[in-house]
Amino acid sequence: MSNNERKMIKVALPKGRLGDQVYEMLEKTGYECPEIKEGSRKLIFINEEKGVSYFQVKPTDVVKYVERGAADVGIAGKDIMLEYDPDIYELLDLNIGKCRMCVAGPKGWHDDVERTLKVASKFTNIARDFYARKGRDIDMIKLHGSIELAPIVGLSDVIVDIVETGNTLRDNDLEVVETIVPISARLIANKAAFQFKTKEIEDMRDALAKEVQD
Ligand code: PRP
């Protein structure tokens, strides 16, 4: 099949370091679009010859573009998938953007099961599911950032959040209480697009798979 007969793949890339890393992988495998590195404020980058266009969106929005078919494929953290449970195909673990979803609290903190546990998080579905499985009553406090502040100032007992290096916890005298699940970036696809553009999407998945490092 010549490039001209190939269907364009629309890729939703998360803005930021993860998106940059994934773009580097795609560039190496022949899906380059040099304009993307020029530092403009453009949000769409198209390389007709390579049959690819990139949208740069907020990491949490990638699943929305893909689920609704505005993008054919995208790159999203497993955390976002667990939190929003989008109706998409998960095609490949890229083994980057690695971190873990944890319960964290002040150093030496112990749970008092007689009391309702106050839990602050951006990931309220993950947190609720985790404690529901334990049969633990919680008071869920949804926050949008600086989650680590909550147990320090007494807004919550613990937090459910992403831990990567552990620096944010350490710098705030907090520690991991329990790991809920390991997280990494995944290549995801819109279900209808995967039927319509199977070859193009599988080629991209296979090319990326060769770049995945253990
Ligand atoms: C995430 C997370 C932690 C931090 C963990 O925040 O919410 O705060 O990274 O990383 P570390 O273990 O390497 O310190 P992010 O920087 O994504 O910003 P946010 O506060 O908007 O969630």
Side-chain angles (χ1 to χ4, degrees):
M1 203 189 296
S2 81
N3 271 343
N4 293 339
E5 290 159 347
R6 290 179 73 88
K7 301 183 187 92
M8 288 281 283
I9 308 187
K10 294 174 283 182
V11 183
L13 277 181
K15 278 188 198 169
R17 202 166 62 87
L18 179 62
D20 294 347
Q21 275 178 277
V22 174
Y23 174 73
E24 296 289 334
M25 290 170 80
L26 284 160
E27 187 178 47
K28 273 193 208 155
T29 57
Y31 293 95
E32 72 270 22
C33 190
E35 218 192 338
I36 216 166
K37 288 180 154 176
E38 286 168 10
S40 84
R41 303 278 295 173
K42 273 179 76 167
L43 297 171
I44 305 182
F45 300 90
I46 301 170
N47 188 339
E48 300 245 359
E49 194 199 333
K50 300 291 177 186
V52 68
S53 67
Y54 293 105
F55 310 159
Q56 290 192 310
V57 306
K58 285 259 184 208
T60 46
D61 291 341
V62 166
V63 289
K64 293 182 186 154
Y65 283 83
V66 174
E67 186 174 32
R68 291 168 180 264
D72 301 315
V73 300
I75 288 82
K78 185 71 181 173
D79 51 331
I80 309 292
M81 248 89 78
L82 292 170
E83 181 63 19
Y84 298 104
D85 193 22
D87 189 18
I88 47 89
Y89 292 132
E90 196 180 304
L91 300 181
L92 181 67
D93 183 347
L94 295 166
N95 210 24
I96 55 173
K98 287 171 87 167
C99 51
R100 50 198 176 121
M101 186 65 66
C102 293
V103 178
K107 275 189 187 150
W109 176 84
H110 286 291
D111 194 5
D112 173 0
V113 291
E114 301 294 309
R115 292 176 50 235
T116 299
L117 183 68
K118 289 187 283 178
V119 182
S121 188
K122 265 197 285 207
F123 301 93
T124 51
N125 292 326
I126 293 175
R128 277 204 184 91
D129 285 356
F130 177 71
Y131 284 107
R133 271 185 270 122
K134 284 177 178 280
R136 181 76 173 93
D137 270 345
I138 65 163
D139 175 9
M140 188 74 247
I141 303 161
K142 166 115 188 174
L143 296 179
H144 298 90
S146 305
I147 316 296
E148 290 82 0
L149 185 62
I152 299 171
V153 298
L155 178 64
S156 73
D157 300 308
V158 292
I159 60 173
V160 167
D161 201 12
I162 295 242
V163 177
E164 190 179 353
T165 61
N167 289 340
T168 311
L169 292 183
R170 263 192 302 279
D171 288 353
N172 291 289
D173 293 322
L174 303 171
E175 64 184 8
V176 170
V177 173
E178 215 171 328
T179 295
I180 299 177
V181 65
I183 303 291
S184 57
R186 308 297 161 100
L187 176 70
I188 60 173
N190 172 269
K191 288 187 168 176
F194 191 72
Q195 305 310 323
F196 182 59
K197 303 182 183 178
T198 311
K199 166 93 175 104
E200 289 81 0
I201 293 175
E202 284 185 341
D203 283 353
M204 181 176 274
R205 179 199 61 196
D206 295 347
L208 279 173
K210 289 193 188 119
E211 294 297 318
V212 172
Q213 295 177 356
D214 292 333

